[in-house]
Amino acid sequence: MRVDLKRRAVAEALGTAMLLATVVGSGIMGERLAAGNVAIALLANTLATVAALIALILTFGPISGAHFNPVVTMADASQNGLSWRDVPVYVIAQILGAFVGVAAADAMFDEPIFAASTHIRAGTSQFLSEFIATFGLLSVIWGCSRSRPTAVPFAVGAYIAAAYWFTSSTSFANPAVTLARAATNTFAGIRPADVPQFIAAQALGAIIATALFRWLAPGVPAANAPTAALEAKS
């Protein structure tokens, strides 16, 4: 039985807020405890983010699909897994939730609730990193949802853990996350001026991955929500 749009929107907002609170909060905690060792801070940030991401997908998947990501929502709609009429509601909920999560994390650590980040993430290498990070994320989602849908939460978590370390951008792979992280001048932040190139790279990666998997698996029905198996349990 499909959950009504209002409940799905709340689930997307709450899940995205909790994800951003984890990303930003663990970044602050990791940096404070690492005594200047950036590798240790990033490792702490990675482990916390991945653990929360898996838990949140399992929690909210049966309600909304647990996208927490505008490009995942749009990719899902393009494959008839979600009505295009629902997309603006999902995206707005995700963006609002992301900013709430950032504010909550900053407040928990006595940081300014919102402050423009000064963390420079510019250049061709960063664009390429975000393209590859998002292409890989959508590839994992589409590939697993077609063959082993119950594994999607764990596969997504595993990929994000790897992408934190093999991309120079540390794998944002999410426009809502990117926008919100521009509003925190902490370890996880991104300079506002660098946001447009990140979002452009993320959109391009999502489009190419989605098109590729329609070609790689042409016999699979188009309606393949990223967490279809979880939704089926509701």
Side-chain angles (χ1 to χ4, degrees):
M1 182 177 179
R2 193 162 183 84
V3 180
D4 68 73
L5 181 57
K6 184 183 296 185
R7 289 182 174 85
R8 284 185 281 140
V10 170
E12 284 296 302
L14 182 56
T16 310
M18 294 174 73
L19 177 60
L20 265 294
T22 302
V23 172
V24 175
S26 64
I28 297 170
M29 178 69 85
E31 186 175 43
R32 289 183 180 180
L33 297 179
N37 189 323
V38 179
I40 296 298
L42 182 60
L43 179 60
N45 193 205
T46 303
L47 294 175
T49 299
V50 169
L53 182 59
I54 293 171
L56 292 170
I57 293 174
L58 290 170
T59 299
F60 293 105
I63 302 171
S64 67
H67 297 176
F68 313 144
N69 187 334
V71 296
V72 172
T73 295
M74 292 180 188
D76 192 16
S78 76
Q79 302 306 300
N80 301 319
L82 180 73
S83 170
W84 279 107
R85 291 176 297 180
D86 296 347
V87 169
V89 177
Y90 265 57
V91 171
I92 291 170
Q94 291 158 358
I95 293 172
L96 290 176
F99 277 92
V100 169
V102 166
D106 283 340
M108 286 191 289
F109 288 92
D110 290 322
E111 295 285 342
I113 298 301
F114 292 121
S117 175
T118 57
H119 192 156
I120 298 173
R121 300 179 188 265
T124 304
S125 63
Q126 296 285 307
F127 182 92
L128 179 61
S129 291
E130 279 304 292
F131 168 78
I132 291 174
T134 313
F135 174 85
L137 174 62
L138 269 293
S139 295
V140 168
I141 289 172
W142 289 127
C144 287
S145 68
R146 283 157 164 74
S147 59
R148 297 187 62 188
T150 57
V152 169
F154 308 100
V156 167
Y159 177 76
I160 292 299
Y164 252 77
W165 288 86
F166 78 75
T167 64
S168 62
S169 65
T170 66
S171 182
F172 285 46
N174 183 328
V177 166
T178 304
L179 287 168
R181 286 171 65 170
T184 178
N185 194 22
T186 61
F187 182 80
I190 174 174
R191 189 178 59 168
D194 300 329
V195 167
Q197 73 159 353
F198 266 51
I199 292 177
Q202 292 157 2
L204 183 61
I207 290 168
I208 293 178
T210 300
L212 175 63
F213 272 83
R214 288 305 304 155
W215 176 76
L216 286 176
V220 177
N224 259 312
T227 52
L230 295 173
E231 290 177 328
K233 295 177 182 178
S234 60

